[in-house]
Amino acid sequence: MRVVVAGSSGLIGTALVAQLREAGHDVLRLVRRRPAAPDERGWDPPAGGVDDGTFDGVDAVVNLNGVGIGDRPWSGSRKQLIRDSRNVPTEVLATAVAEHGVPAMISGSAVGYYGDTDGRAVDESAPSGTGFLAEVCRDWEAATGRARDAGARVVLLRTGLVLSRAGGLLGRLRPLFKGFLGGRLGDGRQYMPWISLDDEVGAIRFAIENDALTGPVNLTGPTPVTNAEFTSALASALGRPTAFPVPAFAIRAALGEMGQELLLNGQRAIPAKLLHAGFQFRHQALGEALAAATE
């Protein structure tokens, strides 16, 4: 297949491009500068521009755009950037998919769509929750509307917490635990819908290659765990104790809304569609994923 990937330089995008090419697919990468390699095509999302010919003969477009949600405090301008960095590129790509008759659009989203599920298990049929991240995800998914209305197969990747030795969540947590500063957050009962990078990338490839898969798809491991369970498992994988739980009030005082939504809320998200479609997870349990990411 011929696949266009937007957001190919990030943690997930880099691994995805490598796996797609290993599987024999032809991959074009969208870049926001002058193209410098044969596989690159230029685009300017705010201006709505994409290099001519980019979508000729393309079978699928993968959209992985968006600035990090936990990199900086949620000021008004940062929250607007979180929205715009997702909605604007998604609308540009959805329009291109519609205008060029691309059969499939595989577009990013997140389990934040469900808000705080408070221990309740949710699959893709669950309604959207409340809060800033739920709102962001609703708008992000809605931005694919032109592609869907044109008849393209649209898959919405509701991604959980990606575990990788290359960075992401573990890149932030590993130094804390190594320095004997790791501990549960609040009461530790909030769920953490983890997924290994291998399974994240494998699931995206699965979505590209399987025409029967459509609509929202939870990209999470089959066995979500609580924060307390995750903390204990990570401490065990790194050979460190967990002596410093962080009180909820301290998280709220230091980080406000961002701390509440990212650290104290949780989603017990189940990958029902992937399991029903026959996707084979490489890492079924958290311990397996952590062992692979911390070895």
Side-chain angles (χ1 to χ4, degrees), residues 1-6 20 25-30 38-41 50-63 93-106 147 151-153 208 211:
M1 298 174 69
R2 189 172 180 84
V3 182
V4 169
V5 178
L20 290 176
H25 299 303
D26 179 23
V27 181
L28 297 176
R29 299 180 296 123
L30 294 184
D39 69 333
E40 294 181 348
R41 300 293 184 272
V50 185
D51 284 355
D52 291 341
T54 295
F55 300 98
D56 293 348
V58 167
D59 299 293
V61 170
V62 180
N63 170 35
L93 292 174
T95 298
V97 165
E99 292 179 347
H100 295 273
V102 178
M105 180 175 183
I106 316 299
R153 178 175 66 93
I208 294 170
D211 291 342

Side-chain angles (χ1 to χ4, degrees), residues 191-194 220-226 229 267-271:
Y191 271 82
M192 298 182 66
W194 63 272
T220 60
T223 55
V225 298
T226 65
E229 292 168 332
Q267 298 81 31
R268 191 178 180 182
I270 307 299

Side-chain angles (χ1 to χ4, degrees), residues 74 79 131-133 251-252 255-263 265:
W74 284 1
K79 291 172 78 171
F132 172 66
L133 293 180
I251 293 173
R252 295 189 186 99
L255 298 174
E257 179 187 19
M258 175 179 166
Q260 180 66 49
E261 293 209 23
L262 291 182
L263 303 179
N265 291 354

Side-chain angles (χ1 to χ4, degrees), residues 161-228:
L161 302 168
V162 180
L163 306 181
S164 166
R165 68 171 62 89
L169 175 66
L170 293 184
R172 296 188 179 95
L173 293 181
R174 189 182 288 108
L176 294 176
F177 279 75
K178 286 284 190 180
F180 298 91
L181 297 175
R184 76 171 191 273
L185 303 176
D187 62 19
R189 291 184 294 182
Q190 66 274 33
Y191 271 82
M192 298 182 66
W194 63 272
I195 185 170
S196 71
L197 179 61
D198 287 340
D199 284 330
E200 171 77 11
V201 170
I204 296 174
R205 176 185 162 194
F206 186 81
I208 294 170
E209 296 175 343
N210 287 268
D211 291 342
L213 204 61
T214 188
V217 178
N218 289 342
L219 267 60
T220 60
T223 55
V225 298
T226 65
N227 172 259

Side-chain angles (χ1 to χ4, degrees), residues 61-73:
V61 170
V62 180
N63 170 35
L64 300 174
N65 288 283
V67 300
I69 60 172
D71 301 346
R72 299 179 186 177

Side-chain angles (χ1 to χ4, degrees), residues 60-129:
V61 170
V62 180
N63 170 35
L64 300 174
N65 288 283
V67 300
I69 60 172
D71 301 346
R72 299 179 186 177
W74 284 1
S75 63
S77 60
R78 184 64 181 180
K79 291 172 78 171
Q80 190 61 50
L81 181 60
I82 288 171
R83 294 186 183 96
D84 292 346
S85 67
R86 288 160 170 76
N87 298 342
V88 173
T90 301
E91 290 173 353
V92 171
L93 292 174
T95 298
V97 165
E99 292 179 347
H100 295 273
V102 178
M105 180 175 183
I106 316 299
S107 191
S109 184
V111 292
Y113 175 90
Y114 303 110
D116 182 17
T117 67
D118 195 26
R120 174 175 50 90
V122 292
D123 63 16
E124 293 87 351
S125 66
S128 181

